[in-house]
Amino acid sequence: MAFLEKGFLGLIDWWRYLVVLSLMIAGIAIFSIPHGAAISLKTALGEADATRLDDVSYLMSLFESNLNLFYITLPFVGGLLFLWIGVKKVHRQNLVNLTTGRSRIDWSRVRFSFGFWTCIVALFVAIQLILAPETLVFNFQLKSFLILVVIAVIMVPIQTSFEEYLFRGYLMQGLGVLSKNRWFPLLFTSVVFGVMHISNPEVAKLGKVLLVYYIGTGFFLGIITLMDDGMELSLGFHAANNLISALLVTADWQVFQTYSVFKDVSEPTLFISIVPPLVLFPIATILYAKKYGWSDWRQRLTGSIELPK
């Protein structure tokens, strides 16, 4: 059975989706309490300016880098946990059906996608080092980096998996149940995924045109999910994109500000919002298609959903 069709296997009353989304939001809120408590404590001690607490960049500066990474990724643990609980208990659906159209999760696809995009990220860092070495400052601090590795390897894949299971999994299947087609879930989840990042400091730095990158990323991940009949490739790609970036290169204007190997001190340009969705993602899609023998693009991306009998 195809991936989107598996959305019909569980209990699909409309109110169940509201319950699960409410549970997910509650999970995020509960796991946000430690960060909120820490901010409140700093404010009470006079170590934080209460008038600036709506400034994301300012909040990012309140804590040591590794602690800050833990705080900002912790809510995703609650979101993912409560989403999985809701899918299992409210929809009576299992994790495999939420993940893939195959009979079991294909971890080789996850590993390939992770490794492939890790190489691409590393390649671009190497190119930047060769062509513009003055834009990268060596930032390596062994003790802090080792702590970063532990936190990032555990927490970042949880953050990216939450986003994938929410957008490419739960919402895509749920909207497929609602619309009985494939194009609407792809369009809706891609746009909402992009707009969700509007509060990121990157957008504050470069402007809302950066949403082109985030929406383009949503379309790319949605397309490879539908074409490959499962989320494995998107899970691997998204984890590599965020994790390897957090470990290799970060900048003071990014949401992840870590003890990465390098700090990018260059002035950001719209290059980062245009080149990936218009050049890199199409190339990656073609390579995935060649490796996994994708065909019937029109039906897989825009066709109707065949209801289980």
Side-chain angles (χ1 to χ4, degrees):
M1 180 179 292
F3 174 63
L4 287 191
E5 278 79 351
K6 281 192 170 182
F8 288 90
L9 293 182
L11 303 176
I12 57 174
D13 309 274
W14 65 268
W15 58 267
R16 296 180 188 273
Y17 293 95
L18 297 181
V19 170
V20 173
L21 290 175
S22 298
L23 283 173
M24 181 199 72
I25 293 171
I28 292 173
I30 292 170
F31 280 70
S32 297
I33 291 174
H35 193 195
I39 293 172
S40 297
L41 179 60
K42 273 188 172 290
T43 304
L45 295 175
E47 299 175 3
D49 184 351
T51 65
R52 300 182 61 190
L53 296 184
D54 58 347
D55 183 344
V56 176
S57 297
Y58 176 69
L59 290 178
M60 297 285 290
S61 69
L62 291 179
F63 302 98
E64 184 270 339
S65 180
N66 283 328
L67 181 59
N68 193 61
L69 179 64
F70 176 77
Y71 277 145
I72 66 174
T73 53
L74 186 59
F76 295 100
V77 177
L80 183 61
L81 177 63
F82 279 59
L83 177 62
W84 281 354
I85 291 173
V87 167
K88 182 176 181 179
K89 299 298 184 180
V90 179
H91 288 288
R92 298 290 192 269
Q93 178 69 286
N94 64 53
L95 184 59
V96 172
N97 289 341
L98 185 64
T99 306
T100 183
R102 287 166 274 276
S103 59
R104 57 185 177 181
I105 298 172
D106 186 348
W107 293 105
S108 68
R109 276 173 152 84
V110 179
R111 290 191 295 269
F112 171 79
S113 191
F114 182 92
F116 164 67
W117 199 248
T118 293
C119 292
I120 297 298
V121 173
L123 175 62
F124 271 83
V125 173
I127 291 173
Q128 186 175 355
L129 270 174
I130 294 170
L131 299 181
E134 71 282 358
T135 64
L136 293 176
V137 174
F138 191 63
N139 186 58
F140 185 74
Q141 302 172 48
L142 180 59
K143 182 179 179 180
S144 297
F145 181 77
L146 291 177
I147 296 172
L148 166 64
V149 169
V150 173
I151 295 173
V153 167
I154 295 172
M155 301 300 289
V156 173
I158 291 176
Q159 174 250 320
T160 58
S161 294
F162 166 72
E163 293 184 4
E164 289 309 302
Y165 272 102
L166 174 59
F167 288 98
R168 259 62 66 181
Y170 186 68
L171 289 180
M172 239 187 195
Q173 287 190 343
L175 292 169
V177 169
L178 173 68
S179 66
K180 310 297 191 299
N181 63 53
R182 301 172 187 276
W183 67 265
F184 180 72
L186 174 61
L187 175 64
F188 185 90
T189 57
S190 301
V191 172
V192 174
F193 175 79
V195 173
M196 182 191 71
H197 291 83
I198 198 169
S199 62
N200 280 21
E202 294 95 331
V203 177
K205 180 72 174 180
L206 285 172
K208 291 185 174 60
V209 68
L210 190 57
L211 292 179
V212 171
Y213 166 75
Y214 289 117
I215 294 174
T217 302
F219 271 107
F220 166 67
L221 294 171
I223 287 169
I224 65 175
T225 294
L226 292 181
M227 290 305 303
D228 199 52
D229 202 32
M231 290 170 45
E232 291 97 334
L233 295 180
S234 69
L235 284 167
F237 173 94
H238 203 162
N241 187 69
N242 288 27
L243 176 59
I244 304 306
S245 296
L247 295 177
L248 278 184
V249 182
T250 54
D252 290 339
W253 47 270
Q254 293 179 330
V255 66
F256 280 171
Q257 299 175 25
T258 69
Y259 291 107
S260 53
V261 177
F262 297 100
K263 281 283 186 181
D264 190 334
V265 296
S266 64
E267 189 64 23
T269 67
L270 295 181
F271 174 90
I272 64 173
S273 69
I274 296 174
V275 171
L278 296 184
V279 179
L280 296 182
F281 294 165
I283 292 174
T285 302
I286 292 171
L287 291 175
Y288 284 136
K290 292 292 185 182
K291 178 174 177 59
Y292 294 109
W294 295 346
S295 61
D296 200 10
W297 291 69
R298 183 175 180 178
Q299 168 59 27
R300 286 179 179 268
L301 296 180
T302 65
S304 61
I305 293 176
E306 297 181 8
L307 304 185
K309 297 180 181 180

